[in-house]
């Protein structure tokens, strides 16, 4: 492609709308253009990158025996009602765009395709003989993200590879799941990314395994905890660790103490000269279930620990049946305004005890009249502990479960693991923290969707059984941008060779120099013919401008037919290192071929 004929517009200034380097660079270098919130045009250079990433993904998927297909993006609401997800996906914090057609039929724009694929399996897979089966597609997904940001990282329209596998049993699912873990590692390695596979939260489905593939970068929205021995890595949402040891309590007898101005654990421990490991703190949450019922949740946890809201949400989802609900729509720490809706009197915030009376709640049809009391494992074995007294300005010390306070019946593990904690698999290993961008997620679904949608097959014995399913996603557009987030310098993007839009760019320093033009044209034709994807910068610009643009757009090799032409050579500059080589014109092709092959391996 000739730059003189291309839509080639680079920006000198950092665009105000972008916060992170990769977003700025893709805008500045003319790869993407914002059309609306979370909506981007993939301009020609970006589209080439996306096609390369897609091709790597496709090759790795095909190698596992998975089959590519393409499913409709417009999905009938009825399918989502069958799975029970229509309301949660279209209301409240739901992420599905939905609409009604002229016949008053409701439809959603696909954020994911479990429902569509499960209905296909239900219709077409009759017998165990047809299993296992794995279908995937590479397609635009739509999600009404509350906070679209960082360009392609969190868009409202983005490209995803999603695959779904069907099995007769868990063992077969596990095999495909492991094949996928390998395929995902291959995809990311081939795309030139530094990444880590981590244990991930599998949401309310629980039990079965799930892993995320994290590209390591400061701008990542996720925190990963890992150990240096390589034996453990998990998303902080899911991570487990050993809490610090409890320090012995200085309080031998139960009494109420005046503790003015000690709403926080810090202030309280300073005031009482005790350790936060000897405090039971009581944290209030407000959960709204999908049937509209609000439940106030009081979590008792050790003072030095924090509640992990993802873990709490999973526990509350498990308890949904107690409130005739299926899932939790919202989980928040109720602010003053939220409290006004249900609080019968003002709460002793900062001084609450595990037995905070239920009459603080003005129960109603929408508000459950009793606190749901949960205790985290870290608080269960404490003795002679400090906790609130339910009276502002006072705490109690030397308290014990089942003496002064009944131990809540529901014991949960909802503490947040943090960097510096000891690892469960080996207490000598200390958890380290890194930031990551989630580019892939693989998931053992089990029978959640097949059961809900009545998708069954006939076993060898003639029984009807629900499919055992897995699902596997890669954010193709997010992956492409994370490559930039991991690889750039002050001059611009440094594409990994495997996914660069072009391998090489020939920058003609002076287009009125006939010899320069002649050599450039010759190389341009030759290189492209031999499969080295090459741009020709034949614009009537100064050499400096061309070099800057070549650096900005991040093409791996820049070829300059300049001063060294006299010696029958051109200059070839490696983008990543700025290393410059004088290479005989006749050897440019073979040299580049070698370099590219070595880089892509
Ligand atoms: P996240 O936790 O980042 O919101 P998710 O868990 O909702 O992602 P999945 O449903 O597992 O994502 O989707 C599979 C992959 O699609 C993700 O691993 C990610 O790479 C990509 N992806 C998800 N949401 C977006 C988005 N809004 N923009 C771009 N890519 C996305
Ligand atoms: Mg995910």
């Amino acid at each position: 492609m000739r730059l003189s004929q291309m839509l080639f517009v680079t920006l000198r200034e950092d665009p105000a709308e972008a916060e992170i380097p990769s977003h700025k660079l893709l805008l500045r270098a003319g790869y993407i253009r914002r059309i609306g919130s979370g909506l981007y045009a993939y301009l020609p250079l970006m589209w080439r990158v996306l096609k390369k990433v897609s091709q790597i993904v496709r090759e790795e998927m095909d190698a596992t025996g998975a089959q590519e297909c393409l499913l409709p993006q417009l999905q009938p609401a009825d399918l989502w009602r069958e799975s029970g997800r229509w309301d949660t996906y279209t209301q409240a914090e739901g992420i599905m765009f939905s609409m009604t057609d002229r016949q008053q039929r409701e439809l959603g724009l696909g954020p994911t395709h479990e429902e569509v694929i499960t209905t296909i399996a239900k219709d077409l897979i009759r017998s165990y003989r047809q299993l296992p089966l794995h279908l995937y597609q590479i397609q635009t997904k739509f999600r009404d993200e509350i906070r679209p940001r960082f360009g392609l990282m969190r868009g409202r329209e983005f490209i995803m590879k999603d695959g779904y596998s069907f099995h007769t049993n868990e063992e077969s699912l596990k095999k495909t799941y492991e094949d996928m873990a390998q395929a995902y590692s291959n995809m990311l390695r081939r795309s030139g990314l530094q990444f880590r596979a981590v244990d991930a939260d599998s949401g309310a489905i629980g039990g079965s395994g799930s892993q995320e593939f994290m590209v390591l970068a400061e701008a990542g929205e996720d925190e990963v905890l890992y150990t240096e021995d390589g034996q453990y890595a998990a998303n902080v949402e899911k991570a487990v660790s050993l809490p610090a040891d409890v320090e012995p309590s200085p309080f031998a007898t139960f009494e109420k103490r005046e503790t003015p101005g000690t709403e926080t654990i810090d202030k309280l421990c300073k005031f009482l000269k005790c350790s936060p490991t000897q405090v039971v703190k009581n944290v209030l949450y407000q959960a709204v279930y999908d049937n509209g019922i609000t439940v106030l949740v009081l979590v008792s946890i050790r003072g030095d620990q924090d509640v992990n809201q993802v873990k709490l949400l999973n526990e509350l989802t498990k308890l949904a049946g107690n409130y005739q609900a299926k899932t939790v729509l919202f989980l928040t720490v109720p602010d003053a305004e939220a409290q006004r809706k249900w609080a019968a009197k003002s709460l002793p915030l900062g001084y609450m005890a595990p037995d905070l009376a239920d009459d603080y709640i003005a129960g109603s049809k929408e508000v459950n009249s009793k606190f749901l009391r949960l205790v985290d494992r870290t608080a269960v074995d404490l003795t002679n502990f400090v906790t609130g007294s339910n009276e502002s300005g006072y705490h109690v010390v030397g308290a014990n479960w089942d003496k002064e306070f009944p131990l809540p019946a529901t014991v949960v593990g909802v503490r947040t693991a943090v960097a510096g904690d000891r690892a469960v698999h080996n207490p000598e290993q200390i958890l380290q923290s890194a930031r990551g961008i989630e580019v892939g997620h693989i998931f053992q679904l089990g029978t959640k969707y097949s059961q809900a949608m009545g998708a069954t097959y006939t076993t060898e014995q003639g029984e009807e059984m629900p499919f055992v399913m897995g699902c596997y996603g890669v954010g193709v557009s997010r992956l492409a941008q994370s490559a930039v987030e991991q690889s750039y310098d002050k001059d611009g993007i440094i594409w990994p060779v495997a996914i660069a839009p072009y391998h090489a760019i020939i920058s003609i320093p002076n287009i009125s120099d006939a010899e320069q033009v002649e050599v450039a044209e010759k190389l341009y034709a030759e290189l492209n013919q031999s499969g080295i994807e090459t741009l020709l910068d034949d614009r009537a610009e100064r050499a400096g401008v061309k070099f800057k643009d070549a650096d900005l757009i991040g093409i791996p090799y820049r070829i300059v037919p300049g001063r060294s032409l006299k010696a029958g050579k051109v200059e070839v500059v490696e983008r990543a290192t700025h290393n410059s080589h004088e290479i005989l014109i006749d050897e440019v092709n073979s040299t580049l071929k070698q370099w590219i092959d070595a880089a892509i391996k």
Side-chain angles (χ1 to χ4, degrees), residues 143 145 152-156 158-160 212 221-222 438-441 473-475 477-478:
R143 291 188 182 182
E145 299 276 357
L152 308 187
M153 293 291 195
R154 187 169 296 284
R156 296 201 299 164
F158 58 96
I159 302 176
M160 195 202 287
E212 286 166 342
E221 289 186 284
D222 288 280
E438 179 201 322
V439 294
H441 195 168
V474 176
S477 43
R478 185 185 282 183

Side-chain angles (χ1 to χ4, degrees), residues 200-389:
D201 173 51
S202 26
I205 303 164
S208 45
S210 154
Q211 271 177 300
E212 286 166 342
F213 289 77
M214 295 284 189
V215 168
L216 303 174
E218 266 313 301
E221 289 186 284
D222 288 280
E223 183 183 358
V224 173
L225 294 174
Y226 64 96
T227 55
E228 236 133 51
D229 63 1
Q231 298 296 302
Y232 185 74
N235 189 315
V236 71
E237 291 178 346
K238 161 90 181 180
V240 291
S241 65
L242 300 173
D245 291 333
V246 174
E247 286 177 39
S249 170
F251 308 106
T253 47
F254 178 75
E255 55 180 325
K256 186 164 162 182
R257 295 264 185 97
E258 188 169 2
T259 52
T262 59
E263 301 81 5
T264 66
I265 297 290
D266 245 21
K267 289 182 189 163
L268 176 65
C269 291
K270 275 208 187 99
F271 187 89
L272 289 175
K273 301 192 174 53
C274 68
S275 149
T277 63
Q278 269 308 333
V279 178
V280 171
K281 78 174 164 189
N282 304 289
V283 197
L284 187 61
Y285 288 91
Q286 172 170 337
V288 181
Y289 282 97
D290 57 345
N291 55 0
I293 302 290
T294 294
V295 176
L296 285 317
V297 186
L298 195 62
V299 185
S300 299
I301 188 168
R302 212 171 80 186
D304 61 323
Q305 302 295 320
D306 287 314
V307 174
N308 176 322
Q309 281 212 29
V310 174
K311 292 181 183 174
L312 179 59
L313 184 70
N314 290 342
E315 294 294 341
L316 294 174
T317 306
K318 280 191 228 157
L319 297 172
N322 297 356
Y323 304 99
Q324 289 75 52
K326 283 204 195 85
T327 60
V328 179
L329 286 185
F330 296 110
L331 175 62
T332 49
V333 175
D335 58 11
E337 197 192 318
Q339 286 168 33
R340 239 175 276 135
K341 293 207 184 106
W342 51 262
K345 50 190 174 175
S346 94
L347 290 155
L349 295 172
Y351 298 90
M352 291 185 296
D355 64 350
L356 182 70
D358 291 325
D359 64 10
Y360 277 98
I361 306 174
S364 67
K365 252 211 273 170
E366 286 90 41
V367 180
N368 193 57
S369 60
K370 285 188 162 50
F371 285 108
L372 168 59
R373 295 168 204 275
L374 305 175
V375 59
D376 182 70
R377 278 185 211 108
T378 52
V380 172
D381 293 328
L382 294 187
T383 54
N384 292 324
F385 56 79
V386 175
T387 195
S389 68

Side-chain angles (χ1 to χ4, degrees), residues 37-258:
S37 170
L39 304 175
Y40 286 85
Y42 311 125
L43 298 175
L45 288 174
M46 191 73 222
W47 186 236
R48 287 182 72 98
V49 174
L50 292 171
K51 282 194 288 190
K52 290 204 175 172
V53 174
S54 302
Q55 187 53 27
I56 292 174
V57 168
R58 180 174 286 123
E59 285 169 17
E60 292 299 331
M61 291 304 293
D62 290 349
T64 68
Q67 295 170 71
E68 188 170 358
C69 62
L70 192 59
L71 305 171
Q73 285 157 314
L74 270 177
Q75 305 185 8
D78 289 349
L79 288 182
W80 287 71
R81 292 214 166 88
E82 272 180 46
S83 72
R85 291 208 291 184
W86 179 255
D87 288 338
T88 46
Y89 266 70
T90 56
Q91 290 168 20
E93 287 178 39
I95 51 159
M96 182 152 67
F97 290 103
S98 56
M99 68 199 89
T100 308
D101 69 14
R102 281 171 293 182
Q103 274 85 42
Q104 303 308 311
R105 287 176 300 222
E106 288 174 293
L107 298 158
L109 266 180
T112 180
H113 279 73
E114 281 82 5
E115 281 76 1
V116 171
I117 200 84
T118 305
T119 208
I120 292 171
K122 178 180 172 177
D123 292 346
L124 299 181
I125 307 176
R126 295 278 155 76
S127 152
Y128 70 94
R129 284 191 208 93
Q130 293 167 276
L131 295 170
L133 193 80
H134 185 172
L135 296 176
Y136 77 95
Q137 59 174 346
I138 299 175
Q139 182 197 58
T140 296
K141 291 282 184 279
F142 300 88
R143 291 188 182 182
D144 193 0
E145 299 276 357
I146 307 177
R147 232 173 293 114
R149 55 186 192 152
F150 301 155
L152 308 187
M153 293 291 195
R154 187 169 296 284
R156 296 201 299 164
E157 187 179 320
F158 58 96
I159 302 176
M160 195 202 287
K161 184 286 293 180
D162 49 328
Y164 307 86
S165 67
F166 298 87
H167 310 265
T168 56
N169 58 49
E170 292 284 332
E171 204 185 326
S172 165
L173 166 61
K174 284 215 166 70
K175 163 131 198 349
T176 299
Y177 179 82
E178 272 150 31
D179 288 350
M180 279 304 111
Q182 186 59 52
Y184 275 39
S185 295
N186 295 347
M187 289 171 199
L188 297 181
R189 181 185 43 74
R190 286 182 57 192
S191 301
L193 293 162
Q194 302 287 330
F195 67 97
R196 209 179 260 281
V198 309
D199 293 346
D201 173 51
S202 26
I205 303 164
S208 45
S210 154
Q211 271 177 300
E212 286 166 342
F213 289 77
M214 295 284 189
V215 168
L216 303 174
E218 266 313 301
E221 289 186 284
D222 288 280
E223 183 183 358
V224 173
L225 294 174
Y226 64 96
T227 55
E228 236 133 51
D229 63 1
Q231 298 296 302
Y232 185 74
N235 189 315
V236 71
E237 291 178 346
K238 161 90 181 180
V240 291
S241 65
L242 300 173
D245 291 333
V246 174
E247 286 177 39
S249 170
F251 308 106
T253 47
F254 178 75
E255 55 180 325
K256 186 164 162 182
R257 295 264 185 97
E258 188 169 2

